[in-house]
Amino acid sequence: MARVATGRAHDLVGATLWSVVQSGSIIVVLIGWELLARSGLFTAFLLPTLSSVLARVVEDATSGLLFFDLAVTLYRAVLGFAIAAVAGIALGILIARIPAIHWLFDPIVSIGFPMPKVAFLPVFMLWFGVYDFSKISMIVFNAIFPVIAATVAGTQGVDKHLVWSARSLGAKPGEILREIILPAALPQILTGLQVALPTALIVAIVTEIIMGGDGLGASMIRASRYADSPGVFAGIVEIAAAGWLVIKGVEWLRRRLLVWHQETQGLATM
Amino acid sequence: MTEGAGNGAAAIRVEEVSHQYLPARGRPVLALDRVSLEVREREFLALLGPSGCGKSTLLYLIGGFLPIGAGRIEVGGRAVTEPGPDRGIVFQHFALFPWKTVRENVMYGLAKQGLAKDEQARRAQEFIDLVKLTGFEDSYPAQLSGGMKQRAALARTLAIDPQILLMDEPFGALDAQTRILMQEELLSIWQRRRKTVVFVTHDVQEAVYLAERVAVMSARPGRIKEIVDCRFSLSGPALFKSPEFVERVDHVWNLVRGEAIAAQGGSA
Ligand SMILES: Nc1ncnc2c1ncn2[C@@H]1O[C@H](COP(=O)(O)OP(=O)(O)O)[C@@H](O)[C@H]1O
Ligand SMILES: [Mg+2]
């Protein structure tokens, strides 16, 4: 037990050091940006200084525009992600359990998963227009594949001995899915969701850049059209920050949901 | 059939049971070929045979986990069609629910019996104490050693009080020392609670020591080759050195050795 405790302390020190080193590299990049922008090698139009970009971010924040754009983008990304999550898990379970559905969907998923699905964006514009419905459909279409693939793999990979144990302890066949299969497959399903969420955010921004409307992507492309270069770079900083927050949020959720899992336990003793 | 062990009545009757596996790729595997076996009430029976001879398959069929293709299996006079809490099972790799704590694992079957929450907790504690896991109630399986996991699995199975205990090489994954301790504990639990035990193993000494009767299986396709009576007048550590024990181990060894060689040749 003592060994575990020191191990944990070790990990903690290591993790803290590592995050300092990591954010250190970001600070180096940011300082490099500022110096490069001030060096005169580039015009302020091609590369505005970091300080002017940050000033723009602060300006966007105080005017409320940043939070409006952020809210619009996150609304689309999170709604699309939620639909993809629910539908993807349901479809994944059906594919894993019903041979006819497996036969129908498995080839589609194998082709669709690795395919760059943004290629369908012009089709979605033709069919659904450029408003929220079109954007959110595009997000669902992109984000659903990793969820389906992870759910199929996760539920099919469940150790049959777990199911047998539950049955012999008195579980009815109808109780197995919810009580055994889903919790056992949860780590893998969460991994699929962790791929799907940033995908949803990326596609939200891409659809905004291409289709316009409000949101972080739309503001960036508008700034670009007006040759407002601090505005474009401010958009990048804002998107990076939003992405980072989303990823950290999901990691936190994963740790909360998987307290029982080896990855959160550290190594088992003995 | 050999007379003696148990009180005579059949707890489990296996009649002419065959089982064929149909793998997704490759040829069908005939794992069991017309096996017949009777396990008496409150008897401790070991199924012994070389690896791959169909021991687990037979146990899973009795458990109701695999469909019975040919033949018939009766438990307590009723044909087996599905798993049920009358037949508790312990697997070699424990099969604990990793997302549940030790206590929650043990309470799972109790909840299925419809017990009130506090009664579930009380009974779970009783069996956690019985297998000497007191203090680890709130640990997750990933935090336990192999021996502790097997104790937890045993507690989970014993807590629902099955008449029959099916055990598939339950101590096979444990180190030698833990294994001996667990064997002692299993014997003492069996003596106190008097259940029918079907214990699968490929360890001759373990079978002869634990069981009242040892059913030796032939290499694949598995059949029951011989049933050896292994009840002794002595018990405890002294037994291991007694001539009758040594002689019986030797006899069973000779039965198994031929089959192990056949299994090696057969699988090549
Ligand atoms: N799911 C399966 N699919 C195909 N063959 C199997 C399967 N399970 C077991 N077998 C084969 O059936 C035979 C008996 O297996 P098993 O009952 O596990 O033997 P034992 O428990 O005695 O080692 C072995 O040859 C094994 O390879
Ligand atoms: Mg086996």
Side-chain angles (χ1 to χ4, degrees), chain A residues 161-162 164-165 167-169 171 175 179-180 183 260 265 268-269, chain B residues 60 65 82 85 89 91 95-96 98-99 108 112 140 142-143 156:
Chain A
H161 297 98
L162 291 182
W164 290 356
S165 290
R167 290 281 281 124
S168 97
L169 291 167
E175 294 170 328
E179 292 176 7
I180 308 299
W260 52 271
Q265 301 279 331
T269 48
Chain B
Y60 296 164
F65 306 118
E82 60 172 353
I89 182 135
F91 295 106
L96 290 166
W99 60 93
Y108 184 84
K112 294 295 172 201
Y140 287 98
Q143 297 169 303
R156 182 178 68 175

PDB file of all heavy atoms in Angstrom, chain A residues 161-162 164-165 167-169 171 175 179-180 183 260 265 268-269, chain B residues 60 65 82 85 89 91 95-96 98-99 108 112 140 142-143 156:
ATOM      1  N   HIS A 161     -17.824 -14.614 -20.090  1.00  0.00           N
ATOM      2  CA  HIS A 161     -17.916 -15.079 -18.705  1.00  0.00           C
ATOM      3  C   HIS A 161     -18.633 -14.067 -17.804  1.00  0.00           C
ATOM      4  O   HIS A 161     -19.265 -14.453 -16.827  1.00  0.00           O
ATOM      5  CB  HIS A 161     -16.524 -15.384 -18.157  1.00  0.00           C
ATOM      6  CG  HIS A 161     -15.829 -16.497 -18.905  1.00  0.00           C
ATOM      7  ND1 HIS A 161     -14.919 -16.254 -19.889  1.00  0.00           N
ATOM      8  CD2 HIS A 161     -15.959 -17.828 -18.824  1.00  0.00           C
ATOM      9  CE1 HIS A 161     -14.502 -17.411 -20.383  1.00  0.00           C
ATOM     10  NE2 HIS A 161     -15.121 -18.385 -19.752  1.00  0.00           N
ATOM     11  N   LEU A 162     -18.522 -12.768 -18.135  1.00  0.00           N
ATOM     12  CA  LEU A 162     -19.259 -11.757 -17.358  1.00  0.00           C
ATOM     13  C   LEU A 162     -20.762 -11.956 -17.543  1.00  0.00           C
ATOM     14  O   LEU A 162     -21.536 -11.892 -16.589  1.00  0.00           O
ATOM     15  CB  LEU A 162     -18.875 -10.355 -17.805  1.00  0.00           C
ATOM     16  CG  LEU A 162     -17.466  -9.870 -17.484  1.00  0.00           C
ATOM     17  CD1 LEU A 162     -17.287  -8.438 -17.967  1.00  0.00           C
ATOM     18  CD2 LEU A 162     -17.203  -9.955 -15.989  1.00  0.00           C
ATOM     19  N   TRP A 164     -22.267 -14.716 -18.481  1.00  0.00           N
ATOM     20  CA  TRP A 164     -22.640 -15.989 -17.851  1.00  0.00           C
ATOM     21  C   TRP A 164     -22.745 -15.848 -16.339  1.00  0.00           C
ATOM     22  O   TRP A 164     -23.663 -16.398 -15.714  1.00  0.00           O
ATOM     23  CB  TRP A 164     -21.620 -17.075 -18.209  1.00  0.00           C
ATOM     24  CG  TRP A 164     -21.688 -17.490 -19.655  1.00  0.00           C
ATOM     25  CD1 TRP A 164     -22.584 -17.063 -20.596  1.00  0.00           C
ATOM     26  CD2 TRP A 164     -20.840 -18.432 -20.317  1.00  0.00           C
ATOM     27  NE1 TRP A 164     -22.327 -17.675 -21.795  1.00  0.00           N
ATOM     28  CE2 TRP A 164     -21.263 -18.519 -21.661  1.00  0.00           C
ATOM     29  CE3 TRP A 164     -19.746 -19.201 -19.908  1.00  0.00           C
ATOM     30  CZ2 TRP A 164     -20.645 -19.351 -22.597  1.00  0.00           C
ATOM     31  CZ3 TRP A 164     -19.132 -20.029 -20.829  1.00  0.00           C
ATOM     32  CH2 TRP A 164     -19.582 -20.103 -22.159  1.00  0.00           C
ATOM     33  N   SER A 165     -21.801 -15.136 -15.744  1.00  0.00           N
ATOM     34  CA  SER A 165     -21.864 -14.909 -14.295  1.00  0.00           C
ATOM     35  C   SER A 165     -23.182 -14.244 -13.930  1.00  0.00           C
ATOM     36  O   SER A 165     -23.877 -14.683 -13.005  1.00  0.00           O
ATOM     37  CB  SER A 165     -20.719 -14.006 -13.831  1.00  0.00           C
ATOM     38  OG  SER A 165     -19.503 -14.677 -13.908  1.00  0.00           O
ATOM     39  N   ARG A 167     -25.993 -14.154 -15.566  1.00  0.00           N
ATOM     40  CA  ARG A 167     -27.137 -15.047 -15.785  1.00  0.00           C
ATOM     41  C   ARG A 167     -27.249 -16.050 -14.647  1.00  0.00           C
ATOM     42  O   ARG A 167     -28.341 -16.341 -14.163  1.00  0.00           O
ATOM     43  CB  ARG A 167     -26.988 -15.768 -17.126  1.00  0.00           C
ATOM     44  CG  ARG A 167     -27.159 -14.876 -18.336  1.00  0.00           C
ATOM     45  CD  ARG A 167     -28.629 -14.584 -18.648  1.00  0.00           C
ATOM     46  NE  ARG A 167     -29.262 -15.696 -19.348  1.00  0.00           N
ATOM     47  CZ  ARG A 167     -30.347 -16.332 -18.938  1.00  0.00           C
ATOM     48  NH1 ARG A 167     -30.927 -15.968 -17.814  1.00  0.00           N
ATOM     49  NH2 ARG A 167     -30.852 -17.320 -19.635  1.00  0.00           N
ATOM     50  N   SER A 168     -26.116 -16.605 -14.223  1.00  0.00           N
ATOM     51  CA  SER A 168     -26.217 -17.629 -13.185  1.00  0.00           C
ATOM     52  C   SER A 168     -26.478 -17.002 -11.821  1.00  0.00           C
ATOM     53  O   SER A 168     -26.914 -17.682 -10.899  1.00  0.00           O
ATOM     54  CB  SER A 168     -24.972 -18.526 -13.176  1.00  0.00           C
ATOM     55  OG  SER A 168     -24.058 -18.113 -12.225  1.00  0.00           O
ATOM     56  N   LEU A 169     -26.245 -15.701 -11.690  1.00  0.00           N
ATOM     57  CA  LEU A 169     -26.607 -15.015 -10.444  1.00  0.00           C
ATOM     58  C   LEU A 169     -28.077 -14.583 -10.456  1.00  0.00           C
ATOM     59  O   LEU A 169     -28.553 -13.977  -9.503  1.00  0.00           O
ATOM     60  CB  LEU A 169     -25.705 -13.796 -10.222  1.00  0.00           C
ATOM     61  CG  LEU A 169     -24.248 -14.120  -9.892  1.00  0.00           C
ATOM     62  CD1 LEU A 169     -23.378 -12.882 -10.005  1.00  0.00           C
ATOM     63  CD2 LEU A 169     -24.120 -14.725  -8.493  1.00  0.00           C
ATOM     64  N   ALA A 171     -29.744 -12.925 -13.324  1.00  0.00           N
ATOM     65  CA  ALA A 171     -30.168 -11.874 -14.256  1.00  0.00           C
ATOM     66  C   ALA A 171     -30.976 -12.490 -15.395  1.00  0.00           C
ATOM     67  O   ALA A 171     -30.655 -13.570 -15.883  1.00  0.00           O
ATOM     68  CB  ALA A 171     -28.952 -11.141 -14.821  1.00  0.00           C
ATOM     69  N   GLU A 175     -32.012  -8.219 -19.041  1.00  0.00           N
ATOM     70  CA  GLU A 175     -31.302  -7.285 -18.154  1.00  0.00           C
ATOM     71  C   GLU A 175     -29.822  -7.186 -18.483  1.00  0.00           C
ATOM     72  O   GLU A 175     -29.123  -6.300 -17.992  1.00  0.00           O
ATOM     73  CB  GLU A 175     -31.456  -7.751 -16.691  1.00  0.00           C
ATOM     74  CG  GLU A 175     -32.888  -7.680 -16.202  1.00  0.00           C
ATOM     75  CD  GLU A 175     -33.085  -8.360 -14.850  1.00  0.00           C
ATOM     76  OE1 GLU A 175     -32.378  -9.346 -14.552  1.00  0.00           O
ATOM     77  OE2 GLU A 175     -33.965  -7.916 -14.096  1.00  0.00           O
ATOM     78  N   GLU A 179     -27.202  -3.993 -17.740  1.00  0.00           N
ATOM     79  CA  GLU A 179     -26.460  -4.208 -16.499  1.00  0.00           C
ATOM     80  C   GLU A 179     -25.035  -4.717 -16.722  1.00  0.00           C
ATOM     81  O   GLU A 179     -24.175  -4.526 -15.863  1.00  0.00           O
ATOM     82  CB  GLU A 179     -27.237  -5.193 -15.603  1.00  0.00           C
ATOM     83  CG  GLU A 179     -28.530  -4.584 -15.091  1.00  0.00           C
ATOM     84  CD  GLU A 179     -29.367  -5.563 -14.283  1.00  0.00           C
ATOM     85  OE1 GLU A 179     -28.899  -6.673 -14.007  1.00  0.00           O
ATOM     86  OE2 GLU A 179     -30.510  -5.198 -13.937  1.00  0.00           O
ATOM     87  N   ILE A 180     -24.795  -5.403 -17.832  1.00  0.00           N
ATOM     88  CA  ILE A 180     -23.474  -6.003 -18.052  1.00  0.00           C
ATOM     89  C   ILE A 180     -22.778  -5.460 -19.304  1.00  0.00           C
ATOM     90  O   ILE A 180     -21.675  -4.918 -19.224  1.00  0.00           O
ATOM     91  CB  ILE A 180     -23.571  -7.545 -18.153  1.00  0.00           C
ATOM     92  CG1 ILE A 180     -24.334  -8.118 -16.948  1.00  0.00           C
ATOM     93  CG2 ILE A 180     -22.187  -8.168 -18.290  1.00  0.00           C
ATOM     94  CD1 ILE A 180     -23.689  -7.851 -15.604  1.00  0.00           C
ATOM     95  N   PRO A 183     -22.031  -1.362 -19.275  1.00  0.00           N
ATOM     96  CA  PRO A 183     -20.935  -0.940 -18.390  1.00  0.00           C
ATOM     97  C   PRO A 183     -19.586  -1.553 -18.783  1.00  0.00           C
ATOM     98  O   PRO A 183     -18.564  -0.887 -18.692  1.00  0.00           O
ATOM     99  CB  PRO A 183     -21.364  -1.412 -16.996  1.00  0.00           C
ATOM    100  CG  PRO A 183     -22.696  -2.018 -17.124  1.00  0.00           C
ATOM    101  CD  PRO A 183     -23.157  -1.958 -18.535  1.00  0.00           C
ATOM    102  N   TRP A 260     -13.512   2.903 -11.575  1.00  0.00           N
ATOM    103  CA  TRP A 260     -13.208   1.497 -11.319  1.00  0.00           C
ATOM    104  C   TRP A 260     -12.138   0.960 -12.243  1.00  0.00           C
ATOM    105  O   TRP A 260     -11.586  -0.106 -12.015  1.00  0.00           O
ATOM    106  CB  TRP A 260     -14.469   0.652 -11.506  1.00  0.00           C
ATOM    107  CG  TRP A 260     -15.155   0.889 -12.814  1.00  0.00           C
ATOM    108  CD1 TRP A 260     -16.118   1.828 -13.080  1.00  0.00           C
ATOM    109  CD2 TRP A 260     -14.926   0.204 -14.043  1.00  0.00           C
ATOM    110  NE1 TRP A 260     -16.500   1.753 -14.386  1.00  0.00           N
ATOM    111  CE2 TRP A 260     -15.793   0.771 -15.002  1.00  0.00           C
ATOM    112  CE3 TRP A 260     -14.079  -0.848 -14.422  1.00  0.00           C
ATOM    113  CZ2 TRP A 260     -15.828   0.328 -16.328  1.00  0.00           C
ATOM    114  CZ3 TRP A 260     -14.128  -1.289 -15.730  1.00  0.00           C
ATOM    115  CH2 TRP A 260     -14.993  -0.691 -16.675  1.00  0.00           C
ATOM    116  N   GLN A 265      -6.948   3.650 -11.745  1.00  0.00           N
ATOM    117  CA  GLN A 265      -6.506   3.075 -10.471  1.00  0.00           C
ATOM    118  C   GLN A 265      -4.996   3.129 -10.325  1.00  0.00           C
ATOM    119  O   GLN A 265      -4.481   2.901  -9.257  1.00  0.00           O
ATOM    120  CB  GLN A 265      -6.890   1.588 -10.386  1.00  0.00           C
ATOM    121  CG  GLN A 265      -8.361   1.314 -10.498  1.00  0.00           C
ATOM    122  CD  GLN A 265      -9.045   1.549  -9.199  1.00  0.00           C
ATOM    123  OE1 GLN A 265      -8.423   1.385  -8.161  1.00  0.00           O
ATOM    124  NE2 GLN A 265     -10.277   1.969  -9.221  1.00  0.00           N
ATOM    125  N   ALA A 268      -2.591  -2.343 -10.440  1.00  0.00           N
ATOM    126  CA  ALA A 268      -3.080  -3.114  -9.300  1.00  0.00           C
ATOM    127  C   ALA A 268      -1.901  -3.534  -8.436  1.00  0.00           C
ATOM    128  O   ALA A 268      -0.808  -3.768  -8.939  1.00  0.00           O
ATOM    129  CB  ALA A 268      -3.848  -4.336  -9.790  1.00  0.00           C
ATOM    130  N   THR A 269      -2.140  -3.641  -7.131  1.00  0.00           N
ATOM    131  CA  THR A 269      -1.055  -4.074  -6.249  1.00  0.00           C
ATOM    132  C   THR A 269      -0.850  -5.567  -6.376  1.00  0.00           C
ATOM    133  O   THR A 269      -1.746  -6.292  -6.790  1.00  0.00           O
ATOM    134  CB  THR A 269      -1.409  -3.754  -4.785  1.00  0.00           C
ATOM    135  OG1 THR A 269      -2.730  -4.205  -4.548  1.00  0.00           O
ATOM    136  CG2 THR A 269      -1.324  -2.273  -4.533  1.00  0.00           C
TER     137      THR A 269
ATOM    138  N   TYR B  60     -19.821 -26.045 -18.630  1.00  0.00           N
ATOM    139  CA  TYR B  60     -20.680 -24.983 -19.177  1.00  0.00           C
ATOM    140  C   TYR B  60     -22.039 -25.540 -19.611  1.00  0.00           C
ATOM    141  O   TYR B  60     -23.055 -24.846 -19.532  1.00  0.00           O
ATOM    142  CB  TYR B  60     -20.012 -24.299 -20.370  1.00  0.00           C
ATOM    143  CG  TYR B  60     -18.732 -23.570 -20.049  1.00  0.00           C
ATOM    144  CD1 TYR B  60     -17.848 -23.182 -21.050  1.00  0.00           C
ATOM    145  CD2 TYR B  60     -18.383 -23.262 -18.728  1.00  0.00           C
ATOM    146  CE1 TYR B  60     -16.663 -22.520 -20.761  1.00  0.00           C
ATOM    147  CE2 TYR B  60     -17.207 -22.603 -18.429  1.00  0.00           C
ATOM    148  CZ  TYR B  60     -16.341 -22.232 -19.450  1.00  0.00           C
ATOM    149  OH  TYR B  60     -15.174 -21.582 -19.162  1.00  0.00           O
ATOM    150  N   PHE B  65     -24.970 -22.690 -19.946  1.00  0.00           N
ATOM    151  CA  PHE B  65     -24.432 -21.569 -20.712  1.00  0.00           C
ATOM    152  C   PHE B  65     -24.347 -21.888 -22.199  1.00  0.00           C
ATOM    153  O   PHE B  65     -24.359 -20.997 -23.030  1.00  0.00           O
ATOM    154  CB  PHE B  65     -23.048 -21.174 -20.192  1.00  0.00           C
ATOM    155  CG  PHE B  65     -23.033 -20.891 -18.729  1.00  0.00           C
ATOM    156  CD1 PHE B  65     -22.253 -21.647 -17.859  1.00  0.00           C
ATOM    157  CD2 PHE B  65     -23.824 -19.879 -18.200  1.00  0.00           C
ATOM    158  CE1 PHE B  65     -22.261 -21.388 -16.504  1.00  0.00           C
ATOM    159  CE2 PHE B  65     -23.837 -19.616 -16.849  1.00  0.00           C
ATOM    160  CZ  PHE B  65     -23.055 -20.375 -15.991  1.00  0.00           C
ATOM    161  N   GLU B  82     -31.291 -23.412 -19.308  1.00  0.00           N
ATOM    162  CA  GLU B  82     -30.639 -22.103 -19.210  1.00  0.00           C
ATOM    163  C   GLU B  82     -29.929 -22.000 -17.856  1.00  0.00           C
ATOM    164  O   GLU B  82     -30.120 -22.848 -16.995  1.00  0.00           O
ATOM    165  CB  GLU B  82     -31.672 -20.979 -19.369  1.00  0.00           C
ATOM    166  CG  GLU B  82     -32.768 -21.018 -18.323  1.00  0.00           C
ATOM    167  CD  GLU B  82     -33.680 -19.786 -18.360  1.00  0.00           C
ATOM    168  OE1 GLU B  82     -33.372 -18.847 -19.109  1.00  0.00           O
ATOM    169  OE2 GLU B  82     -34.665 -19.777 -17.621  1.00  0.00           O
ATOM    170  N   PRO B  85     -29.754 -19.677 -10.696  1.00  0.00           N
ATOM    171  CA  PRO B  85     -29.067 -19.517  -9.416  1.00  0.00           C
ATOM    172  C   PRO B  85     -28.987 -20.801  -8.590  1.00  0.00           C
ATOM    173  O   PRO B  85     -28.379 -20.793  -7.526  1.00  0.00           O
ATOM    174  CB  PRO B  85     -29.895 -18.439  -8.703  1.00  0.00           C
ATOM    175  CG  PRO B  85     -31.176 -18.356  -9.432  1.00  0.00           C
ATOM    176  CD  PRO B  85     -30.988 -18.919 -10.790  1.00  0.00           C
ATOM    177  N   ILE B  89     -21.460 -20.616 -10.309  1.00  0.00           N
ATOM    178  CA  ILE B  89     -20.253 -20.952 -11.059  1.00  0.00           C
ATOM    179  C   ILE B  89     -19.101 -20.034 -10.662  1.00  0.00           C
ATOM    180  O   ILE B  89     -19.306 -18.860 -10.339  1.00  0.00           O
ATOM    181  CB  ILE B  89     -20.496 -20.893 -12.587  1.00  0.00           C
ATOM    182  CG1 ILE B  89     -19.247 -21.299 -13.359  1.00  0.00           C
ATOM    183  CG2 ILE B  89     -20.963 -19.508 -13.023  1.00  0.00           C
ATOM    184  CD1 ILE B  89     -19.479 -22.250 -14.491  1.00  0.00           C
ATOM    185  N   PHE B  91     -15.304 -19.071 -12.227  1.00  0.00           N
ATOM    186  CA  PHE B  91     -14.436 -19.239 -13.396  1.00  0.00           C
ATOM    187  C   PHE B  91     -12.967 -19.071 -13.026  1.00  0.00           C
ATOM    188  O   PHE B  91     -12.624 -18.426 -12.044  1.00  0.00           O
ATOM    189  CB  PHE B  91     -14.791 -18.194 -14.461  1.00  0.00           C
ATOM    190  CG  PHE B  91     -16.164 -18.364 -15.041  1.00  0.00           C
ATOM    191  CD1 PHE B  91     -17.187 -17.493 -14.700  1.00  0.00           C
ATOM    192  CD2 PHE B  91     -16.437 -19.397 -15.919  1.00  0.00           C
ATOM    193  CE1 PHE B  91     -18.455 -17.638 -15.238  1.00  0.00           C
ATOM    194  CE2 PHE B  91     -17.702 -19.557 -16.459  1.00  0.00           C
ATOM    195  CZ  PHE B  91     -18.708 -18.673 -16.119  1.00  0.00           C
ATOM    196  N   ALA B  95     -14.067 -13.462 -13.505  1.00  0.00           N
ATOM    197  CA  ALA B  95     -15.259 -12.848 -14.108  1.00  0.00           C
ATOM    198  C   ALA B  95     -16.009 -11.955 -13.118  1.00  0.00           C
ATOM    199  O   ALA B  95     -17.234 -11.931 -13.091  1.00  0.00           O
ATOM    200  CB  ALA B  95     -16.196 -13.915 -14.705  1.00  0.00           C
ATOM    201  N   LEU B  96     -15.255 -11.229 -12.298  1.00  0.00           N
ATOM    202  CA  LEU B  96     -15.898 -10.208 -11.450  1.00  0.00           C
ATOM    203  C   LEU B  96     -16.317  -9.047 -12.340  1.00  0.00           C
ATOM    204  O   LEU B  96     -15.704  -8.805 -13.380  1.00  0.00           O
ATOM    205  CB  LEU B  96     -14.903  -9.710 -10.398  1.00  0.00           C
ATOM    206  CG  LEU B  96     -14.551 -10.709  -9.306  1.00  0.00           C
ATOM    207  CD1 LEU B  96     -13.330 -10.231  -8.538  1.00  0.00           C
ATOM    208  CD2 LEU B  96     -15.729 -10.918  -8.365  1.00  0.00           C
ATOM    209  N   PRO B  98     -15.948  -5.605 -13.255  1.00  0.00           N
ATOM    210  CA  PRO B  98     -14.875  -4.671 -12.871  1.00  0.00           C
ATOM    211  C   PRO B  98     -15.370  -3.289 -12.469  1.00  0.00           C
ATOM    212  O   PRO B  98     -14.652  -2.557 -11.792  1.00  0.00           O
ATOM    213  CB  PRO B  98     -13.987  -4.595 -14.123  1.00  0.00           C
ATOM    214  CG  PRO B  98     -14.817  -5.098 -15.247  1.00  0.00           C
ATOM    215  CD  PRO B  98     -15.852  -6.018 -14.659  1.00  0.00           C
ATOM    216  N   TRP B  99     -16.608  -2.931 -12.874  1.00  0.00           N
ATOM    217  CA  TRP B  99     -17.112  -1.604 -12.535  1.00  0.00           C
ATOM    218  C   TRP B  99     -17.837  -1.590 -11.195  1.00  0.00           C
ATOM    219  O   TRP B  99     -18.365  -0.582 -10.769  1.00  0.00           O
ATOM    220  CB  TRP B  99     -18.051  -1.097 -13.635  1.00  0.00           C
ATOM    221  CG  TRP B  99     -19.244  -1.987 -13.856  1.00  0.00           C
ATOM    222  CD1 TRP B  99     -20.469  -1.860 -13.277  1.00  0.00           C
ATOM    223  CD2 TRP B  99     -19.315  -3.134 -14.709  1.00  0.00           C
ATOM    224  NE1 TRP B  99     -21.294  -2.879 -13.704  1.00  0.00           N
ATOM    225  CE2 TRP B  99     -20.615  -3.666 -14.592  1.00  0.00           C
ATOM    226  CE3 TRP B  99     -18.390  -3.764 -15.558  1.00  0.00           C
ATOM    227  CZ2 TRP B  99     -21.023  -4.810 -15.297  1.00  0.00           C
ATOM    228  CZ3 TRP B  99     -18.801  -4.891 -16.252  1.00  0.00           C
ATOM    229  CH2 TRP B  99     -20.099  -5.399 -16.122  1.00  0.00           C
ATOM    230  N   TYR B 108     -24.909  -8.248  -6.163  1.00  0.00           N
ATOM    231  CA  TYR B 108     -25.626  -8.341  -7.442  1.00  0.00           C
ATOM    232  C   TYR B 108     -26.642  -9.486  -7.437  1.00  0.00           C
ATOM    233  O   TYR B 108     -27.815  -9.296  -7.753  1.00  0.00           O
ATOM    234  CB  TYR B 108     -24.625  -8.511  -8.591  1.00  0.00           C
ATOM    235  CG  TYR B 108     -25.285  -8.529  -9.955  1.00  0.00           C
ATOM    236  CD1 TYR B 108     -25.597  -7.349 -10.608  1.00  0.00           C
ATOM    237  CD2 TYR B 108     -25.607  -9.733 -10.587  1.00  0.00           C
ATOM    238  CE1 TYR B 108     -26.208  -7.348 -11.855  1.00  0.00           C
ATOM    239  CE2 TYR B 108     -26.228  -9.742 -11.834  1.00  0.00           C
ATOM    240  CZ  TYR B 108     -26.518  -8.552 -12.463  1.00  0.00           C
ATOM    241  OH  TYR B 108     -27.130  -8.562 -13.697  1.00  0.00           O
ATOM    242  N   LYS B 112     -30.934  -9.719  -7.178  1.00  0.00           N
ATOM    243  CA  LYS B 112     -31.772 -10.495  -8.102  1.00  0.00           C
ATOM    244  C   LYS B 112     -32.751 -11.387  -7.351  1.00  0.00           C
ATOM    245  O   LYS B 112     -33.777 -11.795  -7.881  1.00  0.00           O
ATOM    246  CB  LYS B 112     -30.902 -11.371  -9.012  1.00  0.00           C
ATOM    247  CG  LYS B 112     -30.039 -10.588  -9.970  1.00  0.00           C
ATOM    248  CD  LYS B 112     -30.883  -9.828 -10.963  1.00  0.00           C
ATOM    249  CE  LYS B 112     -30.046  -8.893 -11.802  1.00  0.00           C
ATOM    250  NZ  LYS B 112     -30.854  -7.832 -12.403  1.00  0.00           N
ATOM    251  N   TYR B 140     -12.210  -2.011  -5.818  1.00  0.00           N
ATOM    252  CA  TYR B 140     -12.589  -2.510  -7.136  1.00  0.00           C
ATOM    253  C   TYR B 140     -11.700  -3.699  -7.483  1.00  0.00           C
ATOM    254  O   TYR B 140     -10.555  -3.784  -7.003  1.00  0.00           O
ATOM    255  CB  TYR B 140     -12.430  -1.407  -8.184  1.00  0.00           C
ATOM    256  CG  TYR B 140     -13.501  -0.353  -8.087  1.00  0.00           C
ATOM    257  CD1 TYR B 140     -13.269   0.844  -7.426  1.00  0.00           C
ATOM    258  CD2 TYR B 140     -14.757  -0.577  -8.641  1.00  0.00           C
ATOM    259  CE1 TYR B 140     -14.266   1.805  -7.319  1.00  0.00           C
ATOM    260  CE2 TYR B 140     -15.756   0.369  -8.532  1.00  0.00           C
ATOM    261  CZ  TYR B 140     -15.509   1.560  -7.871  1.00  0.00           C
ATOM    262  OH  TYR B 140     -16.496   2.496  -7.762  1.00  0.00           O
ATOM    263  N   ALA B 142      -9.828  -4.367  -9.877  1.00  0.00           N
ATOM    264  CA  ALA B 142      -8.501  -3.998 -10.381  1.00  0.00           C
ATOM    265  C   ALA B 142      -7.515  -3.714  -9.249  1.00  0.00           C
ATOM    266  O   ALA B 142      -6.306  -3.714  -9.467  1.00  0.00           O
ATOM    267  CB  ALA B 142      -8.605  -2.786 -11.299  1.00  0.00           C
ATOM    268  N   GLN B 143      -8.030  -3.482  -8.042  1.00  0.00           N
ATOM    269  CA  GLN B 143      -7.148  -3.179  -6.917  1.00  0.00           C
ATOM    270  C   GLN B 143      -6.765  -4.425  -6.123  1.00  0.00           C
ATOM    271  O   GLN B 143      -6.025  -4.327  -5.149  1.00  0.00           O
ATOM    272  CB  GLN B 143      -7.842  -2.189  -5.969  1.00  0.00           C
ATOM    273  CG  GLN B 143      -8.129  -0.855  -6.600  1.00  0.00           C
ATOM    274  CD  GLN B 143      -9.039  -0.001  -5.726  1.00  0.00           C
ATOM    275  OE1 GLN B 143     -10.149  -0.417  -5.385  1.00  0.00           O
ATOM    276  NE2 GLN B 143      -8.586   1.178  -5.367  1.00  0.00           N
ATOM    277  N   ARG B 156     -19.286 -14.050  -4.048  1.00  0.00           N
ATOM    278  CA  ARG B 156     -20.424 -13.656  -4.881  1.00  0.00           C
ATOM    279  C   ARG B 156     -21.292 -14.867  -5.206  1.00  0.00           C
ATOM    280  O   ARG B 156     -22.521 -14.790  -5.178  1.00  0.00           O
ATOM    281  CB  ARG B 156     -19.898 -13.010  -6.167  1.00  0.00           C
ATOM    282  CG  ARG B 156     -20.990 -12.513  -7.087  1.00  0.00           C
ATOM    283  CD  ARG B 156     -20.414 -11.847  -8.322  1.00  0.00           C
ATOM    284  NE  ARG B 156     -19.736 -12.794  -9.191  1.00  0.00           N
ATOM    285  CZ  ARG B 156     -19.236 -12.477 -10.389  1.00  0.00           C
ATOM    286  NH1 ARG B 156     -19.309 -11.229 -10.820  1.00  0.00           N
ATOM    287  NH2 ARG B 156     -18.642 -13.386 -11.124  1.00  0.00           N
TER     288      ARG B 156
END
